[in-house]
């Protein structure tokens, strides 16, 4: 949602760290009592998430093929999906 790589180090976020934290807190709050989790604001199953679980499919924003790494391949032990076109 903020156009950053999921692999960027937190200490490189600078002044944007607080804005990212606020966005994350707002998403958690909005999703806590609304039923299925959504990051797009849409409630249709195929449109709940921008990239989550969609590795190999085209990005809905820029059509770049979405990338994925499973939990064993990430430094934090969690699966991650991202768009190399939107999240540079």
């Amino acid at each position: 949602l903020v156009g950053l790589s999921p692999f960027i180090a937190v200490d490189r976020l600078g002044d944007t760290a607080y804005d990212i934290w606020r966005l994350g807190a707002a998403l958690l709050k909005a999703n806590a009592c609304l039923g299925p989790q959504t990051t797009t604001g849409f409630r249709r199953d195929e449109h709940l998430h921008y990239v989550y679980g969609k590795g190999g499919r085209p990005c809905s924003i820029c059509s770049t093929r979405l990338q994925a790494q499973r939990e064993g391949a990430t430094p934090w032990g969690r699966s991650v999906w991202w768009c190399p076109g939107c999240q540079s």
Side-chain angles (χ1 to χ4, degrees), residues 2 11-12 14 17 19 28 31 33 36-37 40 42-43 48-50 56 59 62 65-66 77-79 81 84-85:
V2 295
D11 63 354
R12 291 187 51 215
D19 293 332
L28 286 169
N31 282 290
C33 54
Q37 178 196 54
T40 63
F42 296 106
R43 293 286 171 203
L48 291 177
H49 306 288
Y50 289 105
C59 174
C62 73
R65 184 174 304 275
L66 299 175
R78 296 188 64 160
S79 297
W81 297 266

Side-chain angles (χ1 to χ4, degrees), residues 10-83:
V10 173
D11 63 354
R12 291 187 51 215
L13 294 175
D15 295 339
T16 62
Y18 182 71
D19 293 332
I20 294 168
W21 177 83
R22 284 185 22 200
L23 175 61
L27 286 168
L28 286 169
K29 185 176 180 181
N31 282 290
C33 54
L34 293 178
Q37 178 196 54
T38 179
T39 54
T40 63
F42 296 106
R43 293 286 171 203
R44 294 192 1 230
D45 286 343
E46 68 272 16
H47 299 292
L48 291 177
H49 306 288
Y50 289 105
V51 296
Y52 177 79
K54 296 182 179 182
R57 295 187 4 206
C59 174
S60 61
I61 305 298
C62 73
S63 299
T64 301
R65 184 174 304 275
L66 299 175
Q67 301 294 308
Q69 283 190 357
R70 296 296 175 190
E71 60 187 55
T74 65
W76 50 87
R78 296 188 64 160
S79 297
V80 62
W81 297 266
W82 74 99
C83 173

